Amino acid sequence: MKSSRNSLLLLLLLLSASPAWASSETLDGASLSLYWGIPFAGILLSIALMPLISPLFWHHHYGKVAAGWALAFLVPFAFIHGFGAALHGLVHAAVGEYIPFILLLTALFTCAGGIHISGTLRGRPILNTGLLALGTSIASFMGTTGASMLLIRPLIRANDNRRHQAHVIVFFIFLVSNIGGLLTPLGDPPLFLGFLQGVEFSWTMRYLFWDMLLVSVLLLAMFFLLDSWMYRKEGVLPRESVSDAQPLGLQGWANVLLLGVVVGLVLMSGLWKPGISFDVYGAEVTLPGLLRDLGLLAVIIVSLRITPASIHADNQFSWAPMEEVAKLFAGIFLTIIPVIAMLQAGTEGAFASVVHAVNNADGEPIPIMYFWATGLLSSFLDNAPTYLVFFNTAGGNPQVLMNEMAPVLMAVSAGAVFMGANTYIGNAPNLMVKAIAEDRGIRMPSFFAYLFWSLTFLLPIFLLVSLISFR
């Protein structure tokens, strides 16, 4: 990974020294062909297939593979469209999206890793269902990443004597890492982008609460029945008698307070609008955003300094899951640049058919098509920019979308959040939870096997919701 990064920096320096390539051109999605989406498709296929074809190679070199696909986009793009356009896209992806994204994930990951829920937890169906329900309930208020990182370790510990554990983690990803984040802008990045565009903080809770409740209850009921059947089939024996059971407790209250600081920093960056911003090669960095990111960095440092080593040891805290997410999403954020640009070009871009599909012949939006188009693209693209694309496709006026066009905004919001659960790459916590589970020795489904789970359990529920709410 280091050698690939150095090669990229050297190439950019050479190109910047050549007037032939040093264009100040920005990325025009209307001028791009579908071929520019090949590196993005390549990294997705690598994530899907290489762990199956060559697991040992993937385990040791996934960072190099991600860097290779990033270079496969940046190098030819710099030569064809100019260094200025390539550098603009690189800086915008890094400063405007990737760095804030990784800092927020790392802060939540670090704080949650410094909180230990102790005591005896037995992975019976009723307890597992209760933990999933708890995580779903709190995800909208501490983020899907925060809720996932807080509860995944206790859930794994509770089920460490069970022969089949992967289904528990899969439903955890469905509910806690995705669906539970629908009610506030704190829950999931797409809604936070909508909040920054002017959507009221409580709007999704008022308009989408019953849809979220319906999906959650149906999934929890499915999980309870499945887990009960598997529990009886396994014939699980208790590890200790009732008299040996230890009461539940929580260590690391300082990190609970730091999680509150993280929430406060995110809210501050959305509510405070001093009108001060800085231009970093075409990428706008606002003062609130800068202070938020510096605050998140401070939270990470403070958490690592104050958390006793015993808590990290009890949690089996490791940076490996965060490292995997950081490297893979670096490649995803770079290779997705032309794909998002083509979508943002609307009817002038290579994905014009997608834009046409969400409106009828008179140009009127079709809510159910917005739900499925936003959702299906969010399954494979980053759901935050996908939300923004369809938000703008529907007009981009928050007051109109919250009122006269409320069904369309509901469809875009629900599609982006719900269907982030369809694949491992639909939402960042999915990959983090998978990595933590595998780090604990749980054999998780492959990319396509997980997709089979989502098609089996999620697709029928999403079809039902779309017919009820967005028809």
Side-chain angles (χ1 to χ4, degrees), residues 235-259:
V236 179
L237 296 174
R239 289 165 292 190
E240 60 278 299
S241 65
V242 175
S243 61
D244 295 327
Q246 300 296 317
L248 293 178
L250 189 146
Q251 292 82 44
W253 281 101
N255 278 291
V256 176
L257 297 177
L258 287 175
L259 280 175

Side-chain angles (χ1 to χ4, degrees), residues 121 123 128 131 148 150-162 165 168-169 172 239 315-316 432-442 444:
L121 292 168
N128 289 336
L131 284 175
S148 297
L150 179 66
L151 293 176
I152 186 58
R153 294 179 179 90
L155 184 68
I156 290 174
R157 191 174 79 245
N159 290 274
D160 62 8
N161 67 324
R162 296 210 26 196
Q165 304 172 47
V168 180
I169 311 302
F172 183 92
R239 289 165 292 190
N315 280 337
Q316 296 180 311
M432 296 176 74
V433 168
K434 174 180 179 287
I436 289 173
E438 290 178 335
D439 194 49
R440 300 295 181 88
I442 298 174
M444 291 295 292

Side-chain angles (χ1 to χ4, degrees), residues 105-117 142 145-154 251-252 255-256 258-259 303 311-312 315 317:
L105 286 187
T106 305
L108 293 169
F109 180 81
T110 306
C111 292
I115 302 170
H116 179 65
I117 299 175
M142 63 182 301
T145 300
S148 297
M149 295 304 100
L150 179 66
L151 293 176
I152 186 58
R153 294 179 179 90
Q251 292 82 44
N255 278 291
V256 176
L258 287 175
L259 280 175
S303 175
I311 291 182
H312 279 159
N315 280 337
F317 182 83

Side-chain angles (χ1 to χ4, degrees), residues 10 42 70 96 100 112 162 165 168 172 198 232 238 300 302 306 344 371 376 380 405 407 412 420 431 443:
L10 178 61
R162 296 210 26 196
Q165 304 172 47
V168 180
F172 183 92
R232 289 193 299 269
I300 294 167
V302 170
I306 68 173
Q344 289 175 331
F371 174 76
L376 292 176
F380 298 95
M405 296 178 64
V412 172
L431 208 55
R443 187 175 180 181

